[in-house]
């Protein structure tokens, strides 16, 4: 039997905390109850709760250190349960650890008392308000977002239009952020044409999980051209998203717009992606999603201008 009953009690409390958090994550994953797994309650409340529990239930030398350790264990064990949600878990990791550090510092100051406790007390209502973001539709920042990116090619506007009208050849992501986070990657596309009513179906890398017996699940994006204008010096085509099993977990994507214009001896192509953010807190996920969609728009521009460039070389 241990010579330190208090240490044993702290270990059992922490073990119980990990199990309780995992049970809660499983319940949210199975039921999507209230959509809380996409709100600030999950991404701020979870680490805040862990931090507060450690401050008041454990007696380690560094409450911040042990709270970080507990959070790491919870993240490592919960990742297989989140399916494609692991993407947001990876993106949110800096936020989670930051909240743990902040809450343990504030709570420890309040618990110990002293002159700094009154200053720390001011952070409590702010943290509470931020944690509620996303519940009942509350959001500090607009949910509407747009990603933008472009590229220039030596091909003519007609050659760029021809490349856009045909199924593209997708390559690997070059942006470090897109490679580092396990986003779905496009692998093939079907459909052709630039007339209103023409459709595209883009296949992505299948969804895989670490759950026992789980099979890879195909995922795709279906689009339909709703606006089209093709001229000798450029054009504009709007693709409306009609079905999305690839990104619907992270954002509500509405449309993608391609424009191209003659520029000098080549052509400038720009893409925009319009979407609604579905994750909170907005002040964190808003800029992250905007950055990711900017990179995605630039990737599309690079893909289609690269498809037009070989034709330009042979003219």
């Amino acid at each position: 039997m241990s010579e330190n009953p208090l240490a044993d009690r702290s270990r059992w409390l922490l073990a119980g905390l990990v199990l309780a958090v995992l049970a809660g994550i499983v319940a949210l994953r199975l039921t999507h109850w209230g959509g809380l797994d996409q709100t600030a309650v999950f991404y701020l409340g979870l680490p805040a709760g862990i931090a507060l529990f450690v401050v008041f239930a454990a007696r380690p030398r560094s409450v911040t250190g042990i709270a970080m350790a507990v959070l790491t264990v919870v993240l490592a064990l919960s990742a297989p349960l989140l399916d494609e949600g692991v993407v947001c878990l990876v993106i949110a990791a800096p936020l989670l650890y930051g909240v743990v550090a902040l809450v343990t510092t504030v709570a420890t100051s309040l618990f110990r008392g002293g002159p700094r406790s009154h200053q720390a007390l001011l952070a409590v209502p702010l943290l509470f308000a931020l944690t509620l973001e996303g519940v009942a539709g509350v959001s500090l920042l607009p949910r509407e977002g747009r990603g933008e990116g472009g590229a220039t090619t030596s091909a003519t506007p007609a050659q760029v239009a021809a490349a856009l009208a045909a199924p593209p050849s997708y390559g690997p992501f070059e942006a470090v952020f897109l490679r580092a986070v396990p986003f779905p990657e496009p692998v093939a596309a079907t459909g052709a044409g630039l007339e209103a009513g023409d459709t595209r179906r883009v296949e992505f890398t299948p969804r895989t999980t670490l759950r026992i017996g789980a099979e890879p699940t195909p995922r795709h994006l279906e689009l339909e051209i709703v606006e089209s204008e093709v001229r000798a010096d450029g054009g504009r085509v709007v693709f409306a998203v009609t079905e999305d099993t690839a990104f619907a977990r992270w954002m509500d994507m509405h449309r993608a717009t391609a424009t191209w214009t003659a520029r000098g001896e080549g052509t400038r192509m720009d893409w925009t992606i319009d979407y609604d953010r579905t994750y909170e807190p907005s002040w964190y996920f808003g800029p992250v999603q905007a950055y990711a969609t900017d990179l995605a728009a630039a990737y599309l521009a690079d893909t289609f201008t690269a498809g037009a460039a070989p034709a330009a070389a042979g003219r």
Side-chain angles (χ1 to χ4, degrees):
M1 187 173 180
S2 173
E3 297 180 357
N4 190 342
L6 183 59
D8 285 343
R9 177 176 176 272
S10 296
R11 293 190 186 96
W12 281 109
L13 286 173
L14 293 176
L17 170 65
V18 171
L19 292 175
V21 170
L22 283 176
I25 291 174
V26 171
L28 282 178
R29 184 60 189 163
L30 294 177
T31 65
H32 298 291
W33 185 77
L36 293 181
D37 54 339
Q38 293 178 268
T39 69
V41 170
F42 185 84
Y43 290 101
L44 295 182
L46 172 63
I50 291 174
L52 290 173
F53 186 92
V54 170
V55 168
F56 293 105
R59 295 294 181 269
R61 292 183 178 180
S62 171
V63 292
T64 300
I66 196 167
M68 294 285 191
V70 171
L71 179 59
T72 301
V73 171
V74 169
L75 294 182
L77 294 178
S78 62
L81 304 175
L82 294 176
D83 294 346
E84 70 274 21
V86 73
V87 172
C88 290
L89 196 64
V90 172
I91 294 175
L95 173 65
L96 300 178
Y97 285 106
V99 171
V100 163
L102 176 62
V103 173
T104 51
T105 300
V106 171
T108 300
S109 179
L110 292 174
F111 185 72
R112 292 176 178 174
R116 293 186 178 181
S117 62
H118 299 291
Q119 299 175 359
L121 190 61
L122 297 176
V124 174
L126 176 61
L127 287 171
F128 180 75
L130 291 177
T131 300
L132 293 179
E133 190 176 11
V135 178
V138 176
S139 182
L140 297 179
L141 299 178
R143 296 184 183 276
E144 299 81 5
R146 168 173 288 187
E148 300 177 326
T152 302
T153 177
S154 59
T156 66
Q159 290 166 334
V160 171
L164 183 62
S169 176
Y170 294 110
F173 294 140
E174 293 186 3
V176 174
F177 182 75
L178 296 181
R179 294 202 311 266
V181 179
F183 288 113
E185 298 182 34
V187 294
T190 55
L194 293 180
E195 298 292 332
D198 290 339
T199 61
R200 300 289 192 279
R201 180 184 173 96
V202 184
E203 304 291 342
F204 290 83
T205 48
R207 179 184 299 111
T208 58
T209 72
L210 298 179
R211 289 182 296 181
I212 297 175
E215 297 290 338
T217 305
R219 46 189 173 184
H220 65 273
L221 190 66
E222 293 188 3
L223 307 104
E224 178 181 353
I225 296 178
V226 293
E227 297 180 32
S228 179
E229 180 186 4
V230 181
R231 308 181 308 275
D233 63 343
R236 176 177 180 270
V237 174
V238 179
F239 296 88
V241 177
T242 57
E243 186 174 351
D244 179 9
T245 64
F247 299 97
R249 176 66 180 168
W250 310 297
M251 62 175 62
D252 183 7
M253 196 180 306
H254 300 304
R255 67 188 64 85
T257 304
T259 59
W260 64 100
T261 308
R263 179 172 296 183
E265 296 184 355
T267 305
R268 170 71 182 186
M269 186 179 209
D270 292 284
W271 279 82
T272 61
I273 300 173
D274 294 295
Y275 65 93
D276 285 344
R277 174 178 44 79
T278 57
Y279 273 83
E280 309 291 353
S282 60
W283 50 265
Y284 184 83
F285 283 106
V288 170
Q289 285 193 341
Y291 178 63
T293 50
D294 282 347
L295 294 177
Y299 170 80
L300 290 174
D302 289 336
T303 297
F304 285 98
T305 54
R315 58 181 177 176

